[in-house]
Amino acid sequence: ELKKEEIDRHLITIKGPLAKTVIKTHGEAFSKEMFEPFFEWIHQQGLTINSNLYGVVRYHAYYEREVSYFEFIVSVV
C-alpha cells in the first residue's frame, strides 16, 4: 500500500484559470502549427501560459478512418 505522501509526489496538478482546446487529427503527428490558433487565442485574451501543456485522447472516431480527438489544457494568468 502506498502512503499518501508517495501518491502526492506523482500527481499532476494544474491551477486555474485554465484554457482548453480540442484538436482533431487524421493520423498525422502533432506540429507547432496545430497549436498556433490556440496560443493566438490565449494571447488575444490578454493571458499568458503558466504551465506545461497537458493532453489526453478524448475519443477515436471509428466511423471515420484514422480520426482522433485530443483535448489539451493549459494554466493561464
Side-chain angles (χ1 to χ4, degrees), residues 41-53:
W41 179 84
I42 291 170
H43 179 72
Q44 288 172 356
Q45 305 309 306
L47 301 169
T48 56
I49 294 173
N50 193 34
S51 74
N52 292 332
L53 187 67

Side-chain angles (χ1 to χ4, degrees), residues 19-37:
K20 178 180 87 167
T21 189
V22 175
I23 294 179
K24 178 180 178 180
T25 69
H26 297 274
E28 70 271 23
F30 286 109
S31 66
K32 180 182 174 187
E33 290 75 26
M34 289 181 171
F35 293 95
E36 285 180 353

Side-chain angles (χ1 to χ4, degrees), residues 1-19:
E1 181 178 314
L2 290 175
K3 295 182 179 177
K4 183 181 180 316
E5 297 80 29
E6 184 67 21
I7 293 171
D8 289 344
R9 286 186 338 132
H10 299 285
L11 291 177
I12 297 172
T13 58
I14 306 177
K15 298 188 188 255
L18 305 174

Side-chain angles (χ1 to χ4, degrees), residues 32-71:
K32 180 182 174 187
E33 290 75 26
M34 289 181 171
F35 293 95
E36 285 180 353
F38 180 50
F39 295 149
E40 181 61 28
W41 179 84
I42 291 170
H43 179 72
Q44 288 172 356
Q45 305 309 306
L47 301 169
T48 56
I49 294 173
N50 193 34
S51 74
N52 292 332
L53 187 67
Y54 296 99
V56 295
V57 178
R58 290 300 291 168
Y59 57 92
H60 181 78
Y62 292 101
Y63 60 90
E64 292 182 78
R65 193 167 175 224
E66 293 289 328
V67 176
S68 296
Y69 295 85
F70 296 86
E71 179 179 54

